[in-house]
Amino acid sequence: MSLQAITVKRATSQAPAGLIVTLHGWGANAEDVASLLPLINLPDYEFVLPNAPFPYPYSPVGMAWYDLRVENMYQGLAESRQLLTDFLESLESSTGIPLSRTILSGFSQGGAMTLDVGSKLPLAGLVVMSGYLHPDAIRAGKSGIPPTLITHGRYDEVVPVQAAWKARETLKSLGVAVEYHEFDMGHEIDPQTLEVLRNFVINTIG
């Protein structure tokens, strides 16, 4: 079993400045993420948009990194963690872009996966949009976690803003370079989120 993904290459033949991997949320898919790319306005970068491995229980087109229903909470997380780790470690050979020039980003459940898996790899940076920390995802004393951007809506009705505060404080306690932005919005990705993502990518990779 391996992850299927959409790859969006640069329009020119020049080598890309870097690679951005974006993980969708629970019940979404890679096509949903692809629709946002024109708004991000990073034409010098290559994008890889993996689909989560499991079907979403409430829609035939949605995918899930693991189950979030109370009776099956976190079922599938261990498998997705390994699949995503293997996928990210294979990207340098498939794209020619090293992990040191790769940003892992994600929304909601994808943001939680970004924090979990990305904290253990030598990536350029992590972007967590409306995400949260899995229990025990980041061990005390962990070092070498990439610089991390966290964005969240103050009125998020799905993942309360307190989840972002907890992630921020956990990372800061480990000495991670954290950039934090809170916006007057709900559980969504809006233009101001994409603007700070764009600036973070440019400032992190150059």
Side-chain angles (χ1 to χ4, degrees):
M1 192 178 183
S2 60
L3 298 181
Q4 304 302 306
I6 296 173
T7 299
V8 182
K9 294 188 178 292
R10 291 198 59 201
T12 71
S13 58
Q14 283 178 293
L19 177 65
I20 301 171
V21 181
T22 304
L23 311 180
H24 64 77
W26 197 51
N29 58 41
E31 284 82 7
D32 293 339
V33 180
S35 68
L36 294 172
L37 296 193
L39 305 174
I40 297 176
N41 188 27
L42 283 169
D44 295 337
Y45 288 78
E46 190 167 310
F47 286 82
V48 173
L49 317 171
N51 268 312
F54 300 111
Y56 176 61
Y58 305 116
S59 155
V61 295
M63 304 299 288
W65 294 100
Y66 50 85
D67 208 331
L68 281 174
R69 292 173 294 179
V70 173
E71 65 272 21
N72 299 317
M73 188 62 78
Y74 292 117
Q75 187 174 311
L77 173 57
E79 293 91 335
S80 277
R81 194 181 269 145
Q82 189 60 55
L83 285 166
L84 182 58
T85 301
D86 294 345
F87 178 80
L88 291 166
E89 289 178 336
S90 75
L91 284 176
E92 184 167 358
S93 61
S94 61
T95 66
I97 304 167
L99 285 179
S100 61
R101 298 189 71 79
T102 299
I103 299 245
L104 179 61
S105 59
F107 174 73
S108 194
Q109 192 184 55
M113 292 298 297
T114 294
L115 269 175
D116 188 324
V117 173
S119 63
K120 302 169 181 73
L121 292 171
L123 293 152
L126 310 177
V127 178
V128 183
M129 299 171 281
S130 304
Y132 52 94
L133 265 175
H134 293 145
D136 303 322
I138 296 176
R139 304 275 180 212
K142 175 85 175 84
S143 61
I145 297 174
T148 302
L149 168 66
I150 297 174
T151 68
H152 217 96
R154 288 190 186 97
Y155 312 118
D156 193 325
E157 68 291 351
V158 179
V159 180
V161 70
Q162 287 85 349
W165 300 345
K166 181 182 179 186
R168 175 183 63 187
E169 298 318 313
T170 300
L171 293 175
K172 281 190 166 180
S173 73
L174 296 171
V176 180
V178 180
E179 183 181 335
Y180 181 84
H181 295 267
E182 208 172 278
F183 299 118
D184 289 327
M185 64 179 190
H187 195 65
E188 61 192 296
I189 298 174
D190 72 351
Q192 52 193 350
T193 304
L194 297 178
E195 180 66 20
V196 298
L197 181 152
R198 181 174 180 272
N199 292 335
F200 177 80
V201 169
I202 291 168
N203 293 334
T204 302
I205 294 186

